[in-house]
Amino acid sequence: MPVTTLLRRVLNRSNTEPNLADAYLTAQPSATPALELIPEESPAADGDNAPNAPVTTFDNIDEAPPILPEFSDSASLDGEGKVVMGEETTSEKDAIEDLTNLESEMEHAAEEQGQGQTVAQDHLPRNAGFMRSFSNVVCIIIGTGCLQIPYAFAKTGWIGVIIVVLSAFIGGYTGVLTIRCLYYRSGERLHSFPQIGYAAFGRWGQYATQFFNYLYSLGTTCLYIILSGQFIYQLVSTLGVTVTQKVWMILVTIIIWIPVAVLKEMSEAAIMAIFGLLASVVVIIIASVMAITNPYTEMFPAEAAPAHDIAIGIGVPVALSSIVFSYSGSVVYPHVEASMKKPKQWPNVVYTAMGFCAVCYLLIGVAGYWAYGDAVVSPVLDSIPTGAPATISKIMITIHVMIAAPIMLLSFYLEVEKMWNITPERLGKKREFTVRLVYRSVVVGIVCAISLAIPYFSDFLGLISSIACVTMYAILPIVCYLKLYGHRIARWYEKIWMAFVLIVGCVASIWGSVDSIKSLIRDTKG
């Protein structure tokens, strides 16, 4: 038996068992005599003719006898209870060092476990700081979702302000729960949502999480392609270019394919994420300023002023699913956290990202709804006056979504590559690159085909938001967390909050899906 294995067994023994580590350190190489297991202070059993018979006395008859360790041919006990090791074992000095190092490693692992930083099994490098992780999350979250916040306000009225703030708290909370689920096993780290689903509910849990996970990743990428093609078509059509929107969507797909083929890990997308974040901020500022300075009444003075409502109850579930989409990014959370140098900073990262997005959404939502009321459309850039500011905004948001789409797809690719074990160690560098390039290209082609078949941004956004985003954002993290850790881990007020989030998520998902399907059917029929 190796020394390290013996030492681990020693460390796992209780204090009432013989201290085999001390015995080992005092051991001297010699022949192995018979085992003497009768304690010196214990009388021999009557009629026992075998002096080496294993007799043990106990102060309490209910106590279980100590379990003697198993030894291989390389270790045994001498007559004094000392461990005798084989000729190939280490010296006493090395054994002391091994024991000390093993204790230090166990203490360090326990400390990291207490901080929520168990040892990650992923091969991904942990080199991302706070700002890089923050940028990755915000780049995915803020995206095109900000452009439909004013339209969501038109569905709900001014109560949409409360929904935006509430959704930010829900997003931060479920984002923390998602990462906690990754570390529910001591000393291990899961690497994706499907693994969380499998750990919580077995094979069917894995299938369910994979369905919603992949639907969100691929569906959102479809939305990015649709929106980019739409904006490019609007921009170039004013210049007399007669290329159709679908052709531009194909060109956008080709542009998206390039970083998809090049990037391998999430940490490599840091510069893209930061640029995408800056592009979104510029768009929000321009759209908000243009809405405030050019309200509906000034653009169309001959028409009646648009209506503004305090609350529209029937529109809340549908609008909630759209607002939830604006905060959704849970599919990339495991991969972003896996690249962090300091994983314990994850709660700060996700709550800061949600707070930043909430401020941006309130800015553009309040400005857009105040300026255009129930006449606002989605995306809001189609409501502001045409001109240089609107053109710049459309260019910036187009660049942003073409940056965000590869990051979104990357989360999908990393999970598939992990599941199929597509690694250079198994396939070799050249073959691994070829396999990765081929299947990634096929996925991009499928996403492009779906985008061309369903070019209705608003309706498709609502459907994806209701089915996939709400489920991944509000329902699955809580359900899996309670299954893995048990309901006793949460205090009573947290249980109330969990129940509230689940109810809101279920209502938004069901109601929003029905409404979006009806709208999609209606638009398809013309």
Side-chain angles (χ1 to χ4, degrees):
M1 175 183 296
V3 174
T4 55
T5 303
L6 176 61
L7 294 178
R8 286 191 178 92
R9 291 193 177 185
V10 170
L11 293 177
N12 290 330
R13 301 287 179 189
S14 64
N15 294 331
T16 60
E17 297 177 1
N19 193 334
L20 297 180
D22 292 340
Y24 163 64
L25 297 179
T26 59
Q28 299 295 331
S30 62
T32 305
L35 299 178
E36 179 67 33
L37 298 180
I38 302 179
E40 294 180 0
E41 68 277 10
S42 302
D46 294 338
D48 192 352
N49 296 324
N52 295 328
V55 179
T56 306
T57 60
F58 304 97
D59 296 331
N60 188 344
I61 194 64
D62 295 329
E63 293 180 1
I67 301 175
L68 295 177
E70 297 178 358
F71 296 92
S72 66
D73 294 336
S74 62
S76 60
L77 294 178
D78 62 15
E80 298 178 356
K82 298 178 181 179
V83 180
V84 179
M85 305 302 297
E87 296 180 357
E88 298 180 356
T89 60
T90 60
S91 63
E92 296 179 5
K93 181 178 179 180
D94 292 336
I96 296 175
E97 291 179 356
D98 287 344
L99 180 59
T100 304
N101 293 335
L102 182 58
E103 290 176 339
S104 300
E105 290 175 4
M106 294 179 66
E107 291 174 359
H108 180 67
E111 180 182 358
E112 287 188 337
Q113 174 68 17
Q115 296 174 347
Q117 300 184 46
T118 55
V119 179
Q121 293 181 325
D122 296 332
H123 66 281
L124 303 178
R126 284 190 175 271
N127 53 14
F130 182 92
M131 189 60 194
R132 185 188 299 183
S133 303
F134 170 82
S135 300
N136 281 331
V137 174
V138 174
C139 182
I140 290 297
I141 292 177
I142 205 167
T144 58
C146 65
L147 301 180
Q148 47 85 40
I149 294 295
Y151 181 75
F153 278 25
K155 292 284 189 180
T156 63
W158 287 114
I159 197 176
V161 174
I162 299 177
I163 298 177
V164 167
V165 176
L166 182 64
S167 298
F169 279 107
I170 295 176
Y173 177 72
T174 55
V176 172
L177 293 189
T178 298
I179 301 304
R180 286 182 184 174
C181 290
L182 297 177
Y183 290 96
Y184 92 100
R185 288 177 180 170
S186 177
E188 295 184 26
R189 180 191 183 276
L190 306 180
H191 68 266
S192 64
F193 243 116
Q195 279 198 342
I196 294 175
Y198 181 80
F201 298 101
R203 186 65 62 184
W204 288 106
Q206 176 185 350
Y207 294 153
T209 50
Q210 282 179 331
F211 171 77
F212 293 113
N213 193 3
Y214 299 161
L215 178 62
Y216 171 73
S217 299
L218 302 181
T220 303
T221 304
C222 291
L223 292 176
Y224 289 162
I225 294 174
I226 294 172
L227 187 64
S228 298
Q230 176 182 330
F231 280 165
I232 295 177
Y233 173 76
Q234 292 174 354
L235 291 172
V236 300
S237 60
T238 58
L239 303 177
V241 179
T242 58
V243 178
T244 63
Q245 178 178 334
K246 290 188 176 182
V247 174
W248 289 115
M249 291 168 62
I250 295 175
L251 294 177
V252 167
T253 304
I254 296 175
I255 296 174
I256 291 174
W257 172 83
I258 296 175
V260 163
V262 174
L263 297 179
K264 186 177 180 180
E265 309 292 354
M266 184 66 70
S267 58
E268 298 175 359
I271 297 178
M272 296 174 56
I274 293 175
F275 185 83
L277 169 61
L278 296 177
S280 295
V281 172
V282 171
V283 170
I284 290 172
I285 293 175
I286 292 177
S288 301
V289 172
M290 290 297 296
I292 294 174
T293 56
N294 299 274
Y296 188 88
T297 52
E298 292 186 8
M299 293 176 60
F300 307 98
E303 299 183 10
H308 298 81
D309 297 290
I310 301 297
I312 306 175
I314 195 173
V316 169
V318 178
L320 180 61
S321 63
S322 298
I323 293 175
V324 164
F325 173 80
S326 304
Y327 286 104
S328 295
S330 54
V331 296
V332 303
Y333 291 169
H335 307 290
V336 173
E337 191 270 347
S339 66
M340 293 179 63
K341 288 189 293 188
K342 299 180 179 179
K344 67 178 180 180
Q345 291 184 342
W346 171 251
N348 296 333
V349 169
V350 70
Y351 275 114
T352 303
M354 291 296 170
F356 178 83
C357 292
V359 172
C360 294
Y361 293 160
L362 290 176
L363 177 62
I364 193 173
V366 170
Y369 186 57
W370 174 84
Y372 307 113
D374 59 354
V376 70
V377 297
S378 176
V380 69
L381 295 181
D382 289 340
S383 295
I384 65 177
T386 57
T391 301
I392 293 174
S393 297
K394 291 181 179 180
I395 293 174
M396 296 297 288
I397 200 66
T398 301
I399 294 174
H400 168 81
V401 297
M402 286 192 293
I403 291 174
I407 299 177
M408 181 64 67
L409 284 175
L410 193 58
S411 65
F412 168 80
Y413 292 141
L414 290 176
E415 293 184 10
V416 174
E417 290 167 13
K418 185 77 174 181
M419 182 171 53
W420 290 352
N421 195 21
I422 302 177
T423 60
E425 293 77 12
R426 189 175 74 91
L427 302 176
K429 290 185 178 181
K430 292 184 179 180
R431 187 180 179 189
E432 181 267 346
F433 175 80
T434 303
V435 172
R436 177 162 52 86
L437 179 62
V438 169
Y439 99 84
R440 286 188 177 190
S441 302
V442 170
V443 171
V444 170
I446 294 174
V447 169
C448 180
I450 296 174
S451 304
L452 295 173
I454 313 177
Y456 302 104
F457 175 79
S458 180
D459 297 338
F460 197 45
L461 170 63
L463 183 61
I464 295 297
S465 301
S466 301
I467 297 178
C469 296
V470 175
T471 304
M472 298 293 295
Y473 166 87
I475 299 176
L476 285 181
I478 294 179
V479 172
C480 291
Y481 179 77
L482 291 176
K483 176 64 175 179
L484 293 175
Y485 286 95
H487 67 90
R488 298 181 185 275
I489 196 172
R491 297 183 179 181
W492 64 270
Y493 52 83
E494 188 175 4
K495 293 178 182 178
I496 295 176
W497 171 249
M498 287 180 173
F500 172 76
V501 173
L502 289 175
I503 293 174
V504 170
C506 291
V507 171
S509 181
I510 297 173
W511 201 326
S513 298
V514 173
D515 185 79
S516 298
I517 292 174
K518 290 181 179 179
S519 299
L520 196 60
I521 294 175
R522 183 172 59 252
D523 292 340
T524 303
K525 291 181 178 180

